[in-house]
């Protein structure tokens, strides 16, 4: 249990973060460009550190620790579905700069840049805004459940009351200070997260002894089942085609097929450009070069999450071997902290993990409120709104998103289940139109709108009526395939039953963004030397992406094998990582400052 000194430390942290956010209120209130993008004048390292803090969420840390605990190193591959954040490799190489070049505030506003300012562009814009708001509410629910589950365990109060307190505090400073508050409090909270990483990893290396054979607990309906492992199999990163897991985790037993779909889905999300608070950092970047640098910094910082979750898993197994198996894997964090962390340090660690939760809350709140203010209220309801009215709407939208997300959270019992649906089902349903918009000139705004609506509806209906009737091993595959196929069909119907986008709009989009793909109708009208410059840039980006994806995967696996003391595997991964880093320098990093600006040459 917590002592007075622990409560004081947690209280000081929470009060400090709110006061700091309120202090930044004046800078955020000068206009919505300040409120949502910090006037596009934030240093790249601040944006990268903020992104890392937002990605290192408490909910994800609890889920990933549970997976590593239950499945071992292979749990890393399961988290390709979202926790590995593999889209960062693609954002780093080319998608980050493509997003930045549009100079817009939201993904929905980008639709008018791509499809024009008429009915077609407006249709795509409002559908995109609604889809992003729906996803934000789902994500808010997911993170709220985990925050309450963590904090309630320590305070000895109802999880729902704990989540209300936590999210309310994040709402206060986020609504007041906007993007400035989000980013700078994230930097501070990122420092706290690193304090937690260092302490927990050292603790695990010192005291966690894992026997040759041991048992772990896996959720099964309303109860739990035991699974026995030997250390060699548990710590092996060698992928296998099948697993033999009981209970709720049996959905991963067709391991090879599940991981393949996860990889396809995540690559689709990456080449589709991403969304939410992640893409917001790129809209705020100063240049193509800084978009690349913030991504690199983001990935390097994020790699430290993997030794952290491995340390928690190891301590959870050590606890099970010495005192009794932890029944709920998602409660490893609070159990380990309660058992192994002394008074005083316990308060610091809890504050660190609350920082992880709040850095995610604030990013979701701020980025999603922009869709209401910029893409619905200002665009269609009150185009002549004053800055003060827009700021007021921003704060009201923040409150509504939080309240609705919390109401939905009361229906969620298993955070792994909702994470799977958000990342695979709804994520896949929204990915297809996001991909096609970059690479196919004929794709239009009506196709985007139809594909997005079809994907959202299919994801919801599949979750409600289809998945539950299937064998558990096929549930996640159905969550991917049905929304994806439905969305793709919707895209084709919407596109081919309507007229193409105005060629002047497409021409401007191509010259500014310079994507690869099926753009021959536009590219052929450019001078030969300009065409060659674009081809060279595109070719480097494609090659670099094929290097960057295994580079990121290898970097993250290094932390896992280090904590497990699998020095044989660690040495091989380190050699591979060094070779990939050298290749990446020559294909990508050395070209960061050599942006091709064809609009200035025409």
């Amino acid at each position: 249990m917590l002592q007075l000194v622990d409560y004081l430390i947690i209280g000081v942290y929470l009060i400090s973060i709110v006061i700091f956010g309120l202090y930044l209120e004046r800078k955020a209130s000068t206009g919505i460009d300040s409120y949502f993008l910090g006037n596009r004048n934030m240093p790249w390292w601040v944006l990268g550190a903020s992104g890392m803090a937002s990605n290192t969420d408490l909910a994800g840390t609890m889920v990933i620790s549970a997976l590593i605990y239950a499945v071992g190193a292979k749990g890393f591959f399961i988290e390709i579905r979202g926790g590995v954040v593999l889209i960062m490799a693609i954002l780093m190489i080319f998608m980050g700069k493509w997003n930045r070049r549009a100079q817009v505030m939201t993904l929905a506003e980008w639709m008018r840049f791509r499809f024009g300012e008429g009915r077609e562009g407006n249709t795509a814009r409002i559908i995109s805004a609604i889809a992003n708001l729906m996803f934000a509410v789902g994500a808010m629910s997911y993170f709220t459940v985990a925050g309450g589950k963590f904090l309630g365990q320590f305070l000895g109060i109802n999880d729902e009351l704990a989540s209300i307190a936590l999210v309310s505090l994040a709402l206060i400073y986020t609504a007041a200070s906007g993007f400035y508050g989000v980013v700078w409090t994230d930097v501070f909270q990122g420092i706290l997260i690193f304090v937690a990483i260092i302490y927990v990893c050292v603790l695990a290396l010192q005291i966690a002894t894992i026997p040759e054979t041991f048992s772990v607990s896996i959720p099964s309906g309303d109860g739990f089942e035991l699974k026995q492992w030997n250390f060699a199999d548990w710590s092996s990163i060698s992928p296998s085609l099948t697993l033999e897991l009981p209970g709720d985790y049996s959905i991963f037993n067709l391991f090879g097929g599940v991981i393949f779909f996860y990889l396809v889905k995540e690559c689709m999300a990456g080449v589709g450009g991403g969304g939410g608070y992640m893409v917001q950092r790129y809209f705020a970047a100063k240049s193509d070069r800084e978009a690349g640098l913030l991504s690199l910094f983001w990935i390097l910082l994020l790699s430290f999450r993997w030794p952290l979750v491995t340390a928690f898993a190891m301590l959870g197994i050590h606890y099970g071997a010495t005192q009794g198996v932890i029944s709920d894997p998602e409660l490893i964090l609070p159990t380990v902290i309660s058992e192994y962390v002394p008074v005083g340090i316990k308060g610091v660690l809890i504050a660190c993990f609350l920082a992880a939760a709040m850095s995610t809350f604030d990013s979701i709140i701020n980025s999603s409120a922009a869709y209401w203010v910029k893409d619905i209220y200002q665009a269609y309801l009150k185009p002549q709104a004053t800055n003060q009215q827009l700021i007021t709407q921003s704060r009201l939208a923040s409150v509504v998103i939080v309240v609705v997300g919390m109401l939905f959270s009361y229906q969620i019992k298993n955070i792994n289940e909702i994470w799977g649906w958000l990342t695979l089902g709804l994520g896949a349903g929204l990915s297809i139109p996001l991909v096609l918009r970059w690479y196919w000139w004929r794709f239009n705004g009506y196709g985007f709108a139809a594909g997005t609506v079809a994907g959202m509806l299919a994801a919801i209906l599949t979750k409600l009526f289809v998945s539950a009737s299937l064998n558990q091993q096929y549930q996640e595959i159905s969550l991917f395939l049905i929304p994806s196929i439905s969305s793709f069909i919707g895209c084709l119907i919407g596109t081919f039953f309507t007229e193409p986008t105005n060629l002047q709009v497409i021409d401007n989009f191509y010259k500014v963004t310079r994507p690869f793909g099926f753009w021959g109708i536009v590219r052929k009208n450019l001078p030969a030397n300009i065409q060659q410059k674009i081809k060279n840039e595109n070719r480097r980006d494609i090659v670099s992406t094929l290097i960057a994806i295994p580079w990121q995967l290898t970097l993250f696996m290094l932390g896992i094998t280090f904590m497990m003391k699998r020095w044989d595997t660690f040495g091989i991964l380190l050699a591979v990582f060094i070779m990939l880093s050298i290749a990446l320098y020559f294909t990508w990093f050395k070209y960061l400052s050599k942006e091709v600006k064809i609009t200035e040459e025409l």
Side-chain angles (χ1 to χ4, degrees):
M1 293 297 293
L2 299 182
Q3 302 299 317
L4 179 60
V5 65
D6 297 314
Y7 286 113
L8 288 174
I9 291 169
I10 296 168
V12 168
Y13 158 70
L14 293 174
I15 293 170
S16 299
I17 211 73
V18 171
I19 292 174
F20 183 55
L22 294 174
Y23 170 75
L24 294 170
E25 188 269 343
R26 182 175 297 178
K27 292 191 75 173
S29 298
T30 58
I32 59 170
D33 201 59
S34 295
Y35 193 87
F36 291 120
L37 293 181
N39 278 328
R40 293 187 174 91
N41 196 34
M42 310 292 287
W44 61 265
W45 62 270
V46 171
L47 294 172
S50 170
M52 178 281 296
S54 297
N55 276 144
T56 311
D57 60 281
L58 179 58
T61 303
M62 293 172 73
V63 168
I64 299 170
S65 297
L67 282 171
I68 299 292
Y69 161 86
V71 185
K74 295 179 182 65
F76 171 82
F77 296 101
I78 294 173
E79 273 308 308
I80 287 176
R81 67 184 177 177
V84 175
V85 202
L86 198 57
I87 68 173
M88 284 305 308
I90 300 171
L91 285 164
M92 180 177 76
I93 301 301
F94 66 90
M95 193 50 75
K97 66 184 180 184
W98 285 9
N99 275 304
R100 190 207 68 81
R101 288 169 180 172
Q103 292 294 286
V104 296
M105 185 174 293
T106 68
L107 180 59
E109 185 185 4
W110 184 96
M111 297 301 159
R112 295 181 70 181
F113 167 61
R114 169 64 174 86
F115 301 119
E117 298 189 359
R119 181 182 297 176
E120 176 189 342
N122 288 329
T123 301
R125 182 179 189 178
I126 198 164
I127 292 296
S128 176
I130 293 170
N132 278 278
L133 284 168
M134 285 182 60
F135 193 89
V137 167
M140 199 74 216
S141 302
Y142 160 69
F143 292 118
T144 298
V145 171
K149 203 169 187 178
F150 178 82
L151 187 59
Q153 184 86 355
F154 287 107
L155 299 184
I157 62 175
N158 181 275
D159 291 356
E160 293 174 358
L161 289 177
S163 66
I164 290 172
L166 195 60
V167 177
S168 296
L169 288 171
L171 174 62
I172 291 170
Y173 75 78
T174 305
S177 58
F179 193 64
Y180 280 108
V182 169
V183 169
W184 284 109
T185 54
D186 279 358
V187 171
F188 172 66
Q189 290 172 151
I191 295 171
L192 288 181
I193 291 169
F194 264 82
V195 170
I197 290 171
I198 293 168
Y199 183 88
V200 174
C201 288
V202 170
L203 184 69
L205 290 171
Q206 287 179 338
I207 70 171
T209 55
I210 300 181
E212 281 302 310
T213 59
F214 55 89
S215 295
V216 298
S217 177
I218 291 178
S220 179
D222 294 328
F224 298 91
E225 295 184 37
L226 292 181
K227 161 71 177 175
Q228 191 170 66
W229 284 100
N230 65 67
F231 178 74
D233 290 340
W234 182 83
S235 61
S236 172
I237 64 168
S238 300
S240 58
L241 292 178
T242 59
L243 293 176
E244 294 181 5
L245 299 174
D248 294 352
Y249 284 9
S250 65
I251 59 175
F252 305 127
N253 282 348
L254 294 176
F255 196 65
V258 170
I259 302 310
F260 172 77
F261 282 113
Y262 286 160
L263 187 61
V264 171
K265 172 261 165 188
E266 197 67 2
C267 288
M268 281 170 48
V271 298
Y277 65 80
M278 296 186 72
V279 77
Q280 186 184 28
R281 269 70 181 166
Y282 294 96
F283 291 150
K286 297 177 186 177
S287 65
D288 285 7
R289 179 178 182 274
E290 296 211 351
L293 290 175
L294 79 87
S295 305
L296 177 62
F297 192 50
W298 190 333
I299 292 172
L300 293 174
L301 293 177
L302 198 57
S303 68
F304 289 93
R305 184 188 201 183
W306 292 95
L308 171 69
V309 295
T310 306
F312 271 118
M314 292 170 64
L315 288 165
I317 291 170
H318 176 76
Y319 180 91
T322 56
Q323 300 191 47
V325 177
I326 300 171
S327 60
D328 185 351
E330 292 179 356
L331 292 178
I332 287 176
L333 265 71
T335 303
V336 165
I337 293 173
S338 295
E339 182 67 22
Y340 296 117
V341 179
V343 173
I345 300 296
K346 189 175 294 183
V348 172
L349 273 191
I350 293 172
C352 293
F353 286 106
L354 292 181
M358 294 180 74
S359 63
T360 308
F361 291 147
D362 60 28
S363 292
I364 294 172
I365 293 167
N366 182 254
S367 62
S368 54
Y371 289 100
W372 165 258
V373 176
K374 184 72 176 178
D375 299 303
I376 298 177
Y377 181 77
Q378 187 185 37
Y380 303 108
L381 301 181
K382 199 166 186 178
Q384 306 304 319
T386 64
N387 272 334
Q388 189 53 51
Q389 288 172 324
L390 293 173
I391 296 297
T392 300
Q393 286 293 318
S394 303
R395 290 168 177 159
L396 288 174
S398 299
V399 173
V400 172
I401 289 164
V402 167
V403 171
V404 175
M406 291 184 67
L407 290 174
F408 275 103
S409 74
Y410 298 150
Q411 309 302 316
I412 300 171
K413 303 302 179 186
N414 183 316
I415 55 178
N416 179 68
E417 181 182 354
I418 187 63
W419 180 235
W421 180 72
L422 278 173
T423 56
L424 198 63
L426 191 55
L430 299 177
S431 288
I432 299 293
L434 291 175
V435 171
L436 293 176
R437 65 191 172 120
W438 292 106
Y439 307 99
W440 183 28
W441 76 270
R442 180 61 179 83
F443 188 57
N444 64 17
Y446 298 115
F448 178 89
T452 300
V453 171
M456 284 194 299
L457 290 176
I460 295 169
L461 294 175
T462 302
K463 177 64 177 174
L464 292 176
F465 302 111
V466 179
S467 293
S469 64
L470 294 175
N471 184 294
Q472 282 191 313
Q473 297 182 25
Y474 297 98
Q475 287 181 6
E476 297 234 326
I477 293 175
S478 70
L479 273 178
F480 174 85
L481 284 179
I482 296 174
S484 297
I485 294 170
S486 300
S487 180
F488 183 66
I489 293 171
C491 288
L492 294 181
I493 292 173
T495 296
F496 287 118
F497 279 81
T498 55
E499 294 296 319
T501 303
N502 185 289
L503 283 178
Q504 288 184 325
V505 173
I506 296 175
D507 183 68
N508 178 66
F509 168 78
Y510 182 79
K511 289 176 181 177
V512 172
T513 307
R514 306 187 294 280
F516 44 81
F518 300 98
W519 294 99
I521 192 170
V522 178
R523 189 186 301 117
K524 67 182 182 182
N525 297 322
L526 297 175
N529 64 318
I530 298 298
Q531 290 189 47
Q532 191 58 48
K533 287 183 179 181
I534 295 175
K535 286 181 181 179
N536 291 341
E537 180 186 8
N538 292 163
R539 191 178 299 115
R540 286 195 305 270
D541 288 344
I542 293 171
V543 171
S544 298
T545 301
L546 296 176
I547 298 171
I549 290 174
W551 173 84
Q552 182 178 331
L553 290 171
T554 305
L555 172 63
F556 287 6
M557 285 189 286
L558 279 171
I560 297 174
T561 53
F562 177 84
M563 289 303 303
M564 292 180 176
K565 300 179 183 179
R566 287 294 302 259
W567 307 122
D568 51 344
T569 309
F570 179 82
I572 295 171
L573 289 174
L574 182 61
V576 173
F577 176 73
I578 291 171
M579 289 188 291
L580 291 172
S581 298
I582 293 170
L584 205 55
Y585 171 80
F586 286 105
T587 61
W588 171 71
F589 190 81
K590 67 180 293 186
Y591 294 99
L592 271 184
S593 300
K594 300 177 181 178
E595 180 183 347
V596 181
K597 297 182 179 180
I598 69 168
T599 52
E600 296 178 3
E601 299 182 35
L602 293 173

